[in-house]
Amino acid sequence: MITLPQDKVIITVSVTGAMVTKAMTPAVPEQPDEIAQAAYECYNEGAAIVHIHARDRQGKPTGDPAVYGEIHEKIRARCDLILQDSTGGGANLSLEERVKCLEARPEMASLNMGTLLRVSGAYAGTTFSNSPSDIEAWARAMKEREIKPEMEVYSHSMFRDVQNLIDKNLIEKPFYINLVMGMKYQGAVEATPKYLMSLIDFAPAEAIINVSAVGAAQLPLTTMAMVLGCCIRVGLEDNIYYRKGELAKSNAQLVARSVRIARELGKEPATPEEARKILGLKPLKS
Ligand code: KMH
Ligand code: ZN
């Protein structure tokens, strides 16, 4: 693994996701204006990357590139956050719909490794499908468009898909891997320190590692990740609580807490421009 400079941490905020609804928390931003405003507030607190899921007018996940484009424009009107779109989409979207967002030309996009089984909720029993050939096709599409993949890894076996992309020269260094921990899908590992250390052990040497963990594990695992020189992801997509029994007021509140902890550890949040350099992205103004 490539560790970040000791005095830096790159913070991604996953503001919306596919599964969190206004009924679960009124703080979740769904429409383009709300998403852009939430992203901007997180930028002001120290986030460098925003992970974006678009919703339709009814609040359901959509892959519509026009909606992604509108979100990008509204964020760009406010700040220079790195734009990272989700190709994980949502359980209601087809494989084709999930990757439509690439047409909106984000700087990064999630690229999920391996297939998982949903075990609860309305889509229990369906697969979150990411076959090796689909992963390759999507990586190729990203490479053609100069979009950096954020490879999402939920278990050790998924490093096989990462290695396949490396072997076929479909991704560029530094590789960027997001470890998604504690996801309640069959085939995803638990969010514990032991699993985190073990996933890092199996990660390719030339990868920058981001850590995201679901629910109550978000705070301890991202804190541990900072100590280890990883990037972190916080936000309502993965965790809607500030602490047990208390909903987070906003995405920005979660980012602000991580920044306070980072500073106690002697780290400053990387600005989007600093993060672009570290991740090998083009500067925004060239
Ligand atoms: N919902 C996260 C735990 C994606 O957007 O591609 C996984 C995720 C997938 O972020
Ligand atoms: Zn996501």
Side-chain angles (χ1 to χ4, degrees):
M1 152 178 126
I2 301 171
T3 53
L4 293 178
Q6 217 185 338
D7 59 345
K8 289 287 169 199
V9 60
I10 298 176
I11 301 178
T12 296
V13 63
S14 52
V15 286
T16 303
M19 293 189 299
V20 178
T21 62
K22 293 268 189 200
M24 291 158 74
T25 172
V28 67
E30 290 185 341
Q31 299 307 314
D33 272 317
E34 292 176 306
I35 292 174
Q37 186 55 29
Y40 180 56
E41 289 165 14
C42 294
Y43 161 80
N44 284 331
E45 295 296 344
I49 304 175
V50 56
H51 173 82
I52 303 167
H53 286 250
R55 300 280 182 95
D56 67 16
R57 293 284 161 217
Q58 284 68 49
K60 284 212 297 293
T62 175
D64 187 346
V67 183
Y68 275 96
E70 189 183 345
I71 295 167
H72 294 177
E73 254 177 50
K74 287 178 187 290
I75 294 174
R76 271 292 163 273
R78 292 165 163 90
C79 62
D80 67 345
L81 271 171
I82 297 172
L83 303 172
Q84 180 193 96
D85 288 348
S86 170
T87 64
N92 60 316
L93 301 181
S94 67
L95 295 177
E96 294 71 29
E97 287 169 322
R98 280 173 44 191
V99 288
K100 278 264 173 206
C101 61
L102 300 184
E103 291 171 23
R105 298 296 177 121
E107 297 170 272
M108 301 180 76
S110 65
L111 180 59
N112 290 271
M113 305 287 108
T115 292
L116 295 164
L117 183 69
R118 298 185 180 95
V119 289
S120 62
Y123 291 92
T126 65
T127 53
F128 178 33
S129 177
N130 302 287
S131 71
S133 56
D134 284 336
I135 294 170
E136 281 182 31
W138 298 334
R140 209 166 273 120
M142 289 185 200
K143 194 170 182 186
E144 280 163 15
R145 293 167 176 78
E146 298 187 332
I147 297 169
K148 190 172 186 77
E150 179 243 29
M151 293 176 284
E152 301 215 358
V153 165
Y154 300 75
S155 70
H156 300 74
S157 61
M158 295 182 187
F159 286 123
R160 185 184 296 136
D161 291 314
V162 175
Q163 193 56 49
N164 182 48
L165 296 178
I166 295 172
D167 292 345
K168 295 193 170 145
N169 197 27
L170 290 172
I171 51 173
E172 276 164 27
K173 294 174 193 166
F175 312 126
Y176 184 73
I177 294 175
N178 177 21
L179 303 175
V180 185
M181 307 195 64
M183 183 93 168
K184 297 274 179 238
Y185 280 22
Q186 192 172 41
V189 299
E190 297 302 329
T192 66
K194 202 165 175 175
Y195 271 118
L196 176 55
M197 295 312 299
S198 151
L199 283 168
I200 287 173
D201 273 352
F202 285 95
E206 280 157 318
I208 292 175
I209 302 292
N210 180 76
V211 175
S212 49
V214 173
Q218 183 172 87
L219 176 62
L221 269 289
T222 53
T223 301
M224 185 175 164
M226 286 195 265
V227 174
L228 294 169
C230 301
C231 312
I232 64 164
R233 166 169 135 175
V234 295
L236 296 174
E237 168 169 352
D238 305 325
N239 164 43
I240 62 172
Y241 289 96
Y242 188 75
R243 59 169 73 89
K244 193 172 165 62
E246 183 184 324
L247 287 172
K249 289 191 180 62
S250 63
N251 280 288
Q253 188 190 23
L254 297 171
V255 173
R257 175 168 62 184
S258 291
V259 170
R260 286 198 301 278
I261 295 168
R263 290 193 169 129
E264 290 296 329
L265 296 170
K267 296 173 192 293
E268 276 300 309
T271 64
E273 235 15 72
E274 289 169 340
R276 283 186 182 90
K277 249 189 220 137
I278 294 169
L279 300 178
L281 296 171
K282 277 203 195 128
L284 204 52
K285 300 166 207 100
S286 46

